[in-house]
Amino acid sequence: MKAFFSFANACRFASLVTLMAGLFWLSGCQKEDVGAPPIVTQVRLLNPASKDSTFTSALPGTLIVIQGQHLDKTLNVFFNDFPAAFNPVYNTDENLIVSIPASTPTAVTAPSVSNKLRIVTTRGETTFDFTIVQAPPAITSISNENANPGETITIAGANFFGVSKVVFPGNLAVDSTQFTVNKEGTLLTVAVPKNLTQSGPLSMVATFGTVNTPAPINYSSGAGVLCNFDDQNTFQSWSIKMQNDAKLFPGTRGNYGYFSVKGIVGGNGEWWTEGRSLNTNPSVWVAPANLKNPVSDYALKFEIFVKAPWKTGTLQVMPSRTPMPTSYVYNYTPWKIGTASIDFTTPGWQTVTIPLTEFKTNNGLGESAPSLTALLGDTGSNAILMRLIADTDGMGEVSMAVDNIRVVSNKAK
């Protein structure tokens, strides 16, 4: 009987030992899992439609999902040692949603970057090979699109880091030793090649891409040119006069239109008096074959040179020679900066760009044209009127010139 109980006790003891060993093993595994450092296996876009597409490089500003294990206790995320903010509410053990900061350094802005994604958690850290690529350059404006050969222009935009050359029409390339870029990568200053004769897009070639201007530069004659005061639509009745005095407005190309007024009293709306308006005969703004395109595909451009400080009044621009209550109007008041005002002048000829969507009803304060035919008519042809309108307290001196009025593509190719 004693032997039986001893054997039974031995069996119970063995079972208890086995159970305890299993519990200790399970506890050890759990402790090991709880204390494990993070692991990154892949990176994908947040968009569910792209969840099966993984990558190892991205642009600053991209919203991504970092996938792996043990990511739920993440404290910090770094791209090229630059910290990235994230919302831990959306963080799980296997997924971490984060936006790559727009200011993340790249190999272009900082050649010694690590090209690493680094994650720091309460249980350790890990790195993952990941390259932040510089976005291609973007051009928003050119100070003077019809500058004379040899003159200096400024190109404004973004991501000008790593630009190796600027290519003018006729494949005239200017390399990086001959232009300057500001430290923010938003302004590039370059001299127009002295042998420039052709018209066409300007190109900018950079490490991570090439960009072309949608509209041609050095363009003052041809399709879409409404008035150049030389050989294109120079109707002058009730209008400003043509001038060609290069001493008055240096850098001119032949003739230009000259606005010159002084001391107009408030309430005087006689825009047709000498020196206050430009009126042309109708010409083709947009070819009939393109009238079904969106209004946003096109812009009106012209060069302007403001000599005397301009600080009151409005230059109204409209596709009509006879203003009507239903006219689409754009009010050009560069002396207004938000709620403030300045004495506006230009250092020389400068290009003004007005998207056709900015021409609006209700004296420029209403709605944009729903279509090109609504704006221009069934043939895409119309006149152009530019007129100076005095404010209620009058208009001071205005002395300025305009040239090369044209409609061009506003759509990137």
Side-chain angles (χ1 to χ4, degrees), residues 323-343:
M324 297 180 292
T326 56
S327 295
Y328 287 96
V329 176
Y330 177 79
N331 294 311
Y332 182 58
T333 53
W335 53 271
K336 291 182 180 180
I337 308 296
T339 58
S341 62
I342 61 171
D343 289 349

Side-chain angles (χ1 to χ4, degrees), residues 12-355:
R12 293 190 185 95
F13 180 75
S15 299
L16 180 61
V17 170
T18 301
L19 177 61
M20 292 298 294
L23 290 174
F24 278 120
W25 176 83
L26 181 59
S27 175
C29 289
Q30 289 176 335
K31 288 182 180 179
E32 183 179 350
D33 285 344
V34 170
I39 298 173
V40 176
T41 56
Q42 64 183 27
V43 175
R44 68 169 178 84
L45 293 175
L46 179 62
N47 185 351
S50 306
K51 66 181 182 180
D52 295 328
S53 177
T54 62
F55 48 88
T56 56
S57 64
L59 294 169
T62 305
L63 186 62
I64 62 173
V65 180
I66 301 170
Q67 297 187 297
Q69 299 175 31
H70 317 307
L71 303 175
D72 56 321
K73 300 295 183 181
T74 296
L75 300 174
N76 304 104
V77 179
F78 299 91
F79 295 93
N80 289 342
D81 298 316
F82 190 87
F86 65 95
N87 189 341
V89 172
Y90 302 111
N91 188 13
T92 69
D93 181 72
E94 297 179 344
N95 295 283
L96 177 63
I97 299 173
V98 62
S99 181
I100 302 173
S103 301
T104 302
T106 69
V108 173
T109 58
S112 61
V113 293
S114 64
N115 289 322
K116 297 284 187 182
L117 157 64
R118 181 163 63 97
I119 295 180
V120 179
T121 73
T122 58
R123 298 172 300 230
E125 64 179 76
T126 189
T127 59
F128 183 77
D129 290 337
F130 198 83
T131 302
I132 307 301
V133 298
Q134 182 69 46
I139 299 173
T140 55
S141 66
I142 298 175
S143 60
N144 184 1
E145 296 181 9
N146 275 305
N148 290 312
E151 292 180 347
T152 297
I153 60 173
T154 298
I155 304 170
N159 306 319
F160 291 166
F161 306 109
V163 174
S164 60
K165 59 183 177 180
V166 177
V167 184
F168 287 80
N171 201 31
L172 302 178
V174 179
D175 67 36
S176 59
T177 63
Q178 298 175 281
F179 59 74
T180 59
V181 177
N182 68 345
K183 64 179 182 180
E184 293 81 15
T186 57
L187 298 173
L188 186 150
T189 304
V190 61
V192 177
K194 293 183 178 181
N195 55 341
L196 176 66
T197 59
Q198 298 184 30
S199 300
L202 177 142
S203 300
M204 191 176 285
V205 180
T207 305
F208 292 107
T210 298
V211 64
N212 302 317
T213 58
I217 69 165
N218 197 38
Y219 190 71
S220 59
S221 180
V225 176
L226 308 182
C227 178
N228 63 11
F229 298 98
D230 294 309
D231 56 12
Q232 185 74 30
N233 208 2
T234 57
F235 175 74
Q236 291 292 297
S237 295
W238 308 306
S239 188
I240 58 176
K241 300 302 182 183
M242 290 191 300
Q243 297 276 359
N244 58 13
D245 185 353
K247 292 183 180 179
L248 183 61
F249 292 100
T252 181
R253 290 183 170 189
N255 296 321
Y256 54 82
Y258 182 32
F259 287 89
S260 179
V261 299
K262 188 174 183 179
I264 298 176
V265 299
N268 183 337
E270 295 179 356
W271 54 267
W272 55 86
T273 56
E274 186 174 353
R276 292 181 64 178
S277 71
L278 162 67
N279 308 272
T280 73
N281 286 318
S283 58
V284 178
W285 288 50
V286 177
N290 298 326
L291 288 177
K292 291 185 179 180
N293 292 343
V295 179
S296 58
D297 281 3
Y298 298 92
L300 179 78
K301 289 178 178 278
F302 56 89
E303 273 69 57
I304 193 169
F305 192 149
V306 181
K307 196 168 186 179
W310 180 16
K311 51 188 175 184
T312 59
T314 300
L315 180 65
Q316 289 192 329
V317 185
M318 63 189 74
S320 172
R321 204 168 73 197
T322 305
M324 297 180 292
T326 56
S327 295
Y328 287 96
V329 176
Y330 177 79
N331 294 311
Y332 182 58
T333 53
W335 53 271
K336 291 182 180 180
I337 308 296
T339 58
S341 62
I342 61 171
D343 289 349
F344 180 78
T345 60
T346 62
W349 289 96
Q350 306 230 315
T351 299
V352 175
T353 300
I354 307 171

